[in-house]
Amino acid sequence: MNQSLGKMGRLPVYAIEAKGESEESLQKRFFGFSWVDIGLLAAAAVGLVPLYVRSGLPFRIDIGGMASAFWLATAAEAICIAVMLYVIALPLSETVRPFLKRLRANRVLLVMGILIGMCLSLMMGPGLGIMLTVDALAVAELMHRRGARFEKSLGDALFPAGYLFCVILLLYAYNHAIAGIRYAGTFDGVFAKLDTQALGIQTSTIAHWGQTHLPGWAFAMLQTSYFGMYGRVGATLILAALLSGRREAVKMVRALLISYAIAVALFALIPVKGPYLTCTVPENGHAQSLPVYRTQQALVDKMQDLYAHRTTGESGTIDLLDYYIGFPSMHAALPLIAMWFIRRWRRVLAVLLAAYTLLLLPSTVLLEWHYGVDLLGGMAVAALSVTLSESVDLLLARRAAAAKPLEAVSCEA
């Protein structure tokens, strides 16, 4: 693997010996995070206090459900996708063949892998069982290849993932409070008109045509692509951490945080939910038979409960339903941010870009999640967030170098 990393690119690293404590030593002390990252999280957490006082809503969060969804479901999917992207990125002689050679040499490991896969498939279904088996084998293979560096590699992925989990918790908490202050669909009528003026047709008209003319399997695929976006972003974060180092992964999460902060600010100013808020699905449409339709209805019900301050039971708890931002579309923004941090590996970038343009973007329209304007807004937010995150990283490097500059060296990630 070390040879593979060397072939895939070299990253600039600044050797710093500052008077007092340098930026690099600060990042080491804070597990790879800079003071900017810690400050952003702290400021976002403090900002919740006046917001919840203003909203009058109770602050209750389903931390167990949120943690399970992030650390179990999404993490399992992300690891499996990361393995597939890694195999795509490098020659088979450096990825699959050494692994198969070890399996042939160690028949016990091969038998155990087969038995584990069979048991998991029987208990959880073939899809989830195979995915978890791939995850387990991938972790074992990483342990073998990294050896004594395995714990560091694990930390390179886990600490940025923990950073992202904090960002997600804050995001849902902000969504919950804002939905209690302003109706989440206040500007949907305006955005529907904007779409009509820009495209000459309403987004819902396009969606309803697709629901009555395209086959059911196509909509099932679109649904999988839409909900699977978080797994693909997570996979990119894992690859960025393992192939480029913790600093690059932290920089990626910082860009995601900035994008969400912009989205939350826009949601507070011009709350938009999406075409499905006011449009009904045709009687013979495929969406009615898919879980996505039930999810949309549950979102509408909860946002109406929050605005009316009906906070008894689940409506008053921050959970996975507390995401109401229509503009900008983060399904348009987040994958672009992820692709920026994986751009060195052309094959991976090509696969992600194909999934983005052929499946993810069409799913946002055909499943009535977003207006066309939302997609353009998401792309603009992605560009701004990456620019700001890279600028912060450059500023930190310059400040560290200014303390006591040494010659920049290149080393393998």
Side-chain angles (χ1 to χ4, degrees), residues 372-400:
V373 179
D374 300 340
L375 303 183
L376 296 176
M379 294 173 187
V381 166
L384 178 58
S385 301
V386 166
T387 301
L388 291 174
S389 182
E390 293 286 0
S391 298
V392 167
D393 195 67
L394 182 61
L395 176 63
L396 293 175
R398 286 176 175 172
R399 286 189 57 180

Side-chain angles (χ1 to χ4, degrees), residues 189-252:
V190 175
F191 274 66
K193 291 180 180 179
L194 287 175
D195 261 15
T196 303
Q197 293 173 358
L199 304 176
I201 188 173
Q202 284 195 347
T203 304
S204 293
T205 303
I206 300 173
H208 292 175
W209 180 91
Q211 290 161 9
T212 55
H213 291 82
L214 297 179
W217 61 263
F219 271 81
M221 184 181 295
L222 291 173
Q223 174 185 257
T224 300
S225 177
Y226 188 86
F227 288 128
M229 184 271 291
Y230 299 101
R232 293 190 292 274
V233 171
T236 308
L237 178 62
I238 292 171
L239 289 179
L242 296 180
L243 299 178
S244 299
R246 189 180 306 187
R247 175 176 167 179
E248 192 74 1
V250 167
K251 187 165 58 172
M252 174 180 167

Side-chain angles (χ1 to χ4, degrees), residues 106-221:
N106 190 343
R107 299 299 176 88
V108 175
L109 180 62
L110 175 60
V111 172
M112 287 181 60
I114 293 173
L115 290 176
I116 290 173
M118 292 174 61
C119 292
L120 290 174
S121 297
L122 289 173
M123 290 187 297
M124 303 179 180
L128 184 57
I130 293 173
M131 183 172 67
L132 292 175
T133 303
V134 170
D135 292 351
L137 292 174
V139 173
E141 183 69 6
L142 180 66
M143 185 183 299
H144 174 83
R145 296 194 182 194
R146 290 291 171 97
R149 295 177 58 242
F150 173 72
E151 289 186 5
K152 179 183 180 303
S153 299
L154 201 61
D156 288 343
L158 285 178
F159 282 111
Y163 182 9
L164 180 58
F165 181 59
C166 293
V167 172
I168 296 297
L169 290 180
L170 289 167
L171 167 71
Y172 278 71
Y174 270 93
N175 264 256
H176 188 90
I178 294 171
I181 298 173
R182 301 194 68 187
Y183 182 59
T186 302
F187 285 86
D188 271 80
V190 175
F191 274 66
K193 291 180 180 179
L194 287 175
D195 261 15
T196 303
Q197 293 173 358
L199 304 176
I201 188 173
Q202 284 195 347
T203 304
S204 293
T205 303
I206 300 173
H208 292 175
W209 180 91
Q211 290 161 9
T212 55
H213 291 82
L214 297 179
W217 61 263
F219 271 81
M221 184 181 295

Side-chain angles (χ1 to χ4, degrees), residues 8-12 240 244 248 251 339-347 349 390:
M8 293 177 73
R10 295 174 180 272
L11 300 177
S244 299
E248 192 74 1
K251 187 165 58 172
M339 284 187 275
W340 171 262
F341 288 95
I342 210 72
R343 67 191 183 280
R344 297 180 183 88
W345 300 285
R346 301 289 180 83
R347 295 179 183 177
L349 181 61
E390 293 286 0

Side-chain angles (χ1 to χ4, degrees), residues 39-361:
L40 286 172
L41 284 178
V46 171
L48 286 174
V49 177
L51 188 65
Y52 271 83
V53 171
R54 169 68 179 83
S55 71
L57 296 174
F59 185 82
R60 298 196 304 266
I61 185 167
D62 179 17
I63 191 69
M66 301 285 284
S68 296
F70 184 88
W71 292 106
L72 296 178
T74 303
E77 183 180 6
I79 293 172
C80 189
I81 296 173
V83 170
M84 292 188 290
L85 293 176
Y86 179 70
V87 171
I88 291 170
L90 293 173
L92 294 178
S93 60
E94 300 178 24
T95 56
V96 176
R97 289 175 187 170
F99 171 69
L100 294 178
K101 184 178 180 180
R102 271 187 287 277
L103 284 182
R104 285 195 295 267
N106 190 343
R107 299 299 176 88
V108 175
L109 180 62
L110 175 60
V111 172
M112 287 181 60
I114 293 173
L115 290 176
I116 290 173
M118 292 174 61
C119 292
L120 290 174
S121 297
L122 289 173
M123 290 187 297
M124 303 179 180
L128 184 57
I130 293 173
M131 183 172 67
L132 292 175
T133 303
V134 170
D135 292 351
L137 292 174
V139 173
E141 183 69 6
L142 180 66
M143 185 183 299
H144 174 83
R145 296 194 182 194
R146 290 291 171 97
R149 295 177 58 242
F150 173 72
E151 289 186 5
K152 179 183 180 303
S153 299
L154 201 61
D156 288 343
L158 285 178
F159 282 111
Y163 182 9
L164 180 58
F165 181 59
C166 293
V167 172
I168 296 297
L169 290 180
L170 289 167
L171 167 71
Y172 278 71
Y174 270 93
N175 264 256
H176 188 90
I178 294 171
I181 298 173
R182 301 194 68 187
Y183 182 59
T186 302
F187 285 86
D188 271 80
V190 175
F191 274 66
K193 291 180 180 179
L194 287 175
D195 261 15
T196 303
Q197 293 173 358
L199 304 176
I201 188 173
Q202 284 195 347
T203 304
S204 293
T205 303
I206 300 173
H208 292 175
W209 180 91
Q211 290 161 9
T212 55
H213 291 82
L214 297 179
W217 61 263
F219 271 81
M221 184 181 295
L222 291 173
Q223 174 185 257
T224 300
S225 177
Y226 188 86
F227 288 128
M229 184 271 291
Y230 299 101
R232 293 190 292 274
V233 171
T236 308
L237 178 62
I238 292 171
L239 289 179
L242 296 180
L243 299 178
S244 299
R246 189 180 306 187
R247 175 176 167 179
E248 192 74 1
V250 167
K251 187 165 58 172
M252 174 180 167
V253 179
R254 185 189 306 138
L256 297 176
L257 186 158
I258 293 171
S259 69
Y260 274 132
I262 296 171
V264 166
L266 290 172
F267 178 58
L269 293 172
I270 44 174
V272 177
K273 189 67 203 82
Y276 69 87
L277 177 63
T278 56
C279 296
T280 58
V281 180
E283 290 294 330
N284 59 344
H286 297 297
Q288 282 190 331
S289 62
L290 294 174
V292 64
Y293 179 74
R294 295 190 291 275
T295 300
Q296 290 174 345
Q297 187 58 55
L299 279 166
V300 172
D301 292 342
K302 184 166 185 180
M303 76 178 218
Q304 291 174 345
D305 286 344
L306 287 176
Y307 186 63
H309 282 216
R310 295 189 292 265
T311 57
T312 57
E314 294 183 358
S315 292
T317 303
I318 302 166
D319 57 25
L320 292 173
L321 280 179
D322 281 298
Y323 188 86
Y324 311 106
I325 299 173
F327 176 81
S329 167
M330 299 310 287
H331 270 71
L334 301 187
L336 287 178
I337 294 172
M339 284 187 275
W340 171 262
F341 288 95
I342 210 72
R343 67 191 183 280
R344 297 180 183 88
W345 300 285
R346 301 289 180 83
R347 295 179 183 177
V348 174
L349 181 61
V351 171
L352 293 177
L353 188 59
Y356 180 74
T357 55
L358 299 178
L359 291 173
L360 186 57
L361 291 183

